[in-house]
Amino acid sequence: MEIHAYEKLWLALALVLIVGFIGTITYGAAGVGIEMIDDKGGTVDPATLDEHPKFGDPGVEKTGENQYDVYVVARQFVFEPGTTEPIRVPEGSTVTFHVTASDVIHGFEVVGTNANTMAIPGQVAEFTVEFDEPGEYGLLCNEYCGSGHHVMEGKLVVMEQSEFDSWYEQQQQEGEN
């Protein structure tokens, strides 16, 4: 059986396309350093979040030298903290976000970064971001969560280290009182 030259050419082009598609998908999935959110954040009971040691009073917590944990609860139609009071972190810090929801599925995106996850009731999404420069970032919900979805936004402020230290110390003193 003889295969015509044009058939050989089309067969070769199809194989090159298939290999190219597989290579593109592999690079997109593993080559650019983007990690998927996994279940290492654990679970919580959304009905008792107010009694949880971390999510009962969500906010910023220092965990090491220039390392911070931020606990965020998404509720219809606010991020707590983030909407009424901005989340504040120092420049040059490594911040691990722990995000959950108390009612319905929400999105949690730090605009202008690659920080983006779903906030699912009962699940804790955990991801880490480094903030090198002072500035303000928007927070927004990118999962439809109800009639007020369009107003669900917040703010993250990356402050200079000395300014943050003063603010953080003041917050600690107010928490003791």
Side-chain angles (χ1 to χ4, degrees), residues 37-106:
I37 304 293
D38 58 15
D39 61 355
K40 70 180 177 186
T43 60
V44 293
D45 181 4
T48 61
L49 279 178
D50 292 336
E51 300 164 14
H52 191 275
K54 301 292 186 179
F55 291 108
D57 185 23
V60 179
E61 180 179 297
K62 186 171 185 168
T63 57
E65 184 63 36
N66 229 14
Q67 294 181 347
Y68 298 86
D69 282 355
V70 177
Y71 293 87
V72 179
V73 176
R75 305 178 195 275
Q76 289 183 322
F77 299 100
V78 297
F79 294 112
E80 187 182 324
T83 299
T84 56
E85 182 67 30
I87 298 170
R88 299 174 196 271
V89 295
E91 66 180 327
S93 63
T94 301
V95 180
T96 300
F97 287 91
H98 305 269
V99 183
T100 191
S102 64
D103 45 23
V104 298
I105 294 176
H106 296 278

